[in-house]
Amino acid sequence: MKFKNNTLAKHLINEEKVYFELFGAHINLIVDNYTSADSQIFASQLNNLPEKTIKSLCEATSEYCNNKLYAIGKSAIQFEKTESILCYLRPILLLVSFEGSKRIMTLNLEFECSLLNKSVIEWVIQGDTILHVGSFYDNPQFCQ
């Protein structure tokens, strides 16, 4: 897999951690050209996702996981609450990028999913808009 501009590869050794309140865990942060003070801005954006966005992310993640389970011949899982899917996710990485001349912040979150034998699931969020939920490898933003 090749990453655009080798951004990810260049910054793997410069990881910092930010606290992700939804999971009660610190996760690695990778971003181009930032200072440690900027990490608080990224953490704030991450920790202030609207409830509606979180619910939509959970629904999309449940659907993605159930589609993957179905593809390998396993039964779909019916979750009591939409947010129950979060119990099966372990956040591992936050990549922050900026789009266009207005420098719109995009959050790319990677999770290990215990339902799918620790496969990596990605959420891509720009503001309140969900751009992608699924496999990191299916996201054209980083692969070419």
Side-chain angles (χ1 to χ4, degrees), residues 122-136:
E122 179 185 38
W123 292 352
V124 181
I125 310 153
Q126 194 173 70
D128 295 344
T129 304
I130 299 168
L131 302 178
H132 175 75
V133 172
S135 170
F136 179 82

Side-chain angles (χ1 to χ4, degrees), residues 78-114:
Q78 298 301 317
F79 296 100
E80 201 171 296
K81 294 188 320 182
T82 304
E83 293 80 6
S84 296
I85 188 69
L86 298 175
C87 296
Y88 298 94
L89 302 178
R90 184 180 69 81
I92 50 179
L93 182 64
L94 168 63
L95 292 107
V96 178
S97 60
F98 296 91
E99 303 294 324
S101 60
K102 293 184 180 181
R103 308 271 301 153
I104 299 168
M105 187 185 309
T106 303
L107 304 177
N108 299 70
L109 288 148
E110 290 183 30
F111 301 90
E112 194 174 79
C113 180
S114 63

Side-chain angles (χ1 to χ4, degrees), residues 1-139:
M1 177 159 70
K2 184 177 178 184
F3 296 96
K4 291 183 181 178
N5 302 324
N6 290 322
T7 300
L8 183 60
K10 286 191 296 188
H11 294 282
L12 281 174
I13 59 171
N14 297 325
E15 289 182 1
E16 186 171 327
K17 299 233 184 229
V18 293
Y19 187 71
F20 193 176
E21 291 174 10
L22 185 62
F23 289 89
H26 285 86
I27 61 173
N28 292 324
L29 167 69
I30 298 177
V31 64
D32 250 343
N33 303 320
Y34 78 100
T35 65
S36 290
D38 292 333
S39 66
Q40 294 307 312
I41 294 168
F42 308 138
S44 176
Q45 182 80 11
L46 176 64
N47 291 315
N48 288 300
L49 292 171
E51 190 173 320
K52 179 181 172 185
T53 301
I54 293 170
K55 184 173 177 147
S56 294
L57 288 163
C58 291
E59 289 169 355
T61 303
S62 297
E63 183 178 337
Y64 172 80
C65 288
N66 279 325
N67 286 338
K68 287 291 190 181
L69 289 171
Y70 177 78
I72 59 172
K74 294 191 176 181
S75 298
I77 296 173
Q78 298 301 317
F79 296 100
E80 201 171 296
K81 294 188 320 182
T82 304
E83 293 80 6
S84 296
I85 188 69
L86 298 175
C87 296
Y88 298 94
L89 302 178
R90 184 180 69 81
I92 50 179
L93 182 64
L94 168 63
L95 292 107
V96 178
S97 60
F98 296 91
E99 303 294 324
S101 60
K102 293 184 180 181
R103 308 271 301 153
I104 299 168
M105 187 185 309
T106 303
L107 304 177
N108 299 70
L109 288 148
E110 290 183 30
F111 301 90
E112 194 174 79
C113 180
S114 63
L115 285 175
L116 303 175
N117 294 322
K118 299 188 178 183
S119 293
V120 176
I121 292 177
E122 179 185 38
W123 292 352
V124 181
I125 310 153
Q126 194 173 70
D128 295 344
T129 304
I130 299 168
L131 302 178
H132 175 75
V133 172
S135 170
F136 179 82
Y137 304 108
D138 293 338
N139 184 353

